[in-house]
Amino acid sequence: MVQQRGTTVYEQFVEVAPGIRLWTEQRGPVDAPALLLVMGAQATGVGWPEPLVDALAAHHRVIRYDHRDTGRSTWSFEDRPYRITDLAADALAVLDGLGVERAHVVGLSLGGMLAQLLLADHPDRVLSATLMGTCALSTVPYTRPDGSTVPVDALPGIAPEVLEMWARPVVDHGEAAEIERRIAHWRVLGGGRLPFDAAFFRDLERRVVAHTGHHRVGTAHGRADDGGMLRTDELARTAVPTLVVCAPAEPVFPPPHPQHLAQAVRGARLVEVEGMGHALPPAVHRPLVAAILAHTGAAAGAR
């Protein structure tokens, strides 16, 4: 247990498999409805910005954690390869390890895919789902406003500038250089519609490095087996209240991916956060928190 800006923060490790421990953090009233934050590929739980976590923790018992091969969790892929679906099982194991029966789940990027797996496979554990910066785990075609349809494989792909950056080999020139490389990465992921706050992302990445204990770049999630993830039928019949956040500047899963996702998940609602891309800069915190809290509150009211 640590004190952080007047807030009590509980940190503990949860064993999700023999020899595999995940770092977790809980913030907010212990008797408030739980809200699980699920980060994207190769991203630690510390990637969720502090102001956003604090704002959510005013209403929820907020839980964030480090995936395997990130942050303070066990780095095991080289010796014990795993599947992406195992990361979804990890999220469930985190809830089990912390004694949480049901939680609101918020997922970003790969975290949005893991959240879909949870609401499809374990709907009894999910109070609501909020999905952002991700794509539908469904083969249902996208229906345009004019009624015409688009096959999933014809939806827009990742922006060329993102692909170009991802294709560059990462060379270790030291911690300072690595942090600057990550800032450049965030600039591209931001999408360009909002002013880029380099100082914010520099502070974020410094905290990530301090939290992790090193600046090495992980690649496990990009190499993990991503088979067996489609949940077309399960998403089409789910009763879990689902919110899809549309980021108009999204360069990884650009529109109409959010619209397609909202169609693929039964009863899903769509909300747009102006200027948002594939990042969480300060400018999107207020509207994003407002959208999430309105959704979790509505889900609680519906129950």
Side-chain angles (χ1 to χ4, degrees):
M1 181 179 72
V2 296
Q3 290 292 128
Q4 187 166 307
R5 296 192 309 280
T7 300
T8 301
V9 179
Y10 295 88
E11 298 181 15
Q12 71 181 77
F13 286 90
V14 171
E15 186 171 25
V16 299
I20 305 294
R21 298 196 315 160
L22 303 188
W23 172 87
T24 73
E25 178 199 271
Q26 300 177 73
R27 187 179 307 190
V30 295
D31 57 348
L35 187 150
L36 179 69
L37 297 173
V38 188
M39 245 302 166
Q42 300 303 155
T44 79
V46 175
W48 293 100
E50 299 296 312
L52 186 147
V53 176
D54 283 339
L56 294 173
H59 303 270
H60 288 283
R61 173 189 176 187
V62 176
I63 301 164
R64 60 179 177 173
Y65 69 100
D66 292 343
H67 295 296
R68 303 185 195 197
D69 290 273
T70 74
R72 296 180 186 174
S73 293
T74 304
W75 291 54
S76 60
F77 188 82
E78 301 304 329
D79 298 321
R80 299 171 60 181
Y82 48 81
R83 299 162 60 92
I84 294 297
T85 51
D86 292 327
L87 298 180
D90 285 351
L92 196 66
V94 165
L95 296 181
D96 290 339
L98 299 180
V100 176
E101 182 179 352
R102 301 182 74 192
H104 300 280
V105 180
V106 178
L108 172 65
S109 194
L110 174 65
M113 299 179 195
L114 302 181
Q116 290 177 68
L117 292 175
L118 290 181
L119 71 90
D121 298 345
H122 303 280
D124 57 314
R125 305 295 300 275
V126 183
L127 294 170
S128 75
T130 299
L131 313 173
M132 50 189 169
T134 194
C135 64
L137 302 182
S138 172
T139 59
V140 171
Y142 167 60
T143 301
R144 297 189 183 101
D146 65 6
S148 59
T149 59
V150 181
V152 173
D153 59 7
L155 291 173
I158 301 170
E161 58 269 26
V162 175
L163 290 174
E164 191 275 332
M165 178 161 277
W166 287 354
R168 297 178 194 171
V170 177
V171 180
D172 187 352
H173 293 297
E175 179 179 318
E178 172 57 22
I179 288 176
E180 293 305 311
R181 185 195 69 82
R182 296 182 190 185
I183 293 169
H185 186 215
W186 282 120
R187 185 184 295 274
V188 172
L189 291 179
R193 295 199 189 181
L194 295 172
F196 183 70
D197 190 339
F200 169 82
F201 285 103
R202 182 172 291 107
D203 179 67
L204 175 69
E205 288 301 336
R206 284 173 175 164
R207 285 189 289 106
V208 166
V209 170
H211 170 77
T212 304
H214 61 77
H215 64 276
R216 296 194 305 274
V217 178
T219 61
H221 299 168
R223 293 181 288 144
D225 184 347
D226 62 357
M229 292 180 63
L230 285 176
R231 296 293 187 275
T232 302
D233 294 339
E234 293 86 348
L235 295 176
R237 63 171 179 259
T238 184
V240 175
T242 301
L243 177 70
V244 176
V245 175
C246 177
E250 169 66 56
V252 179
F253 296 109
H257 277 282
Q259 290 80 1
H260 174 239
L261 178 55
Q263 292 176 1
V265 180
R266 176 175 175 263
R269 295 190 305 109
L270 187 72
V271 63
E272 181 173 308
V273 174
E274 184 177 357
M276 185 173 172
H278 200 78
L280 300 172
V284 308
H285 293 176
R286 185 185 298 272
L288 185 57
V289 166
I292 293 171
L293 292 179
H295 178 57
T296 59
R303 290 196 309 277

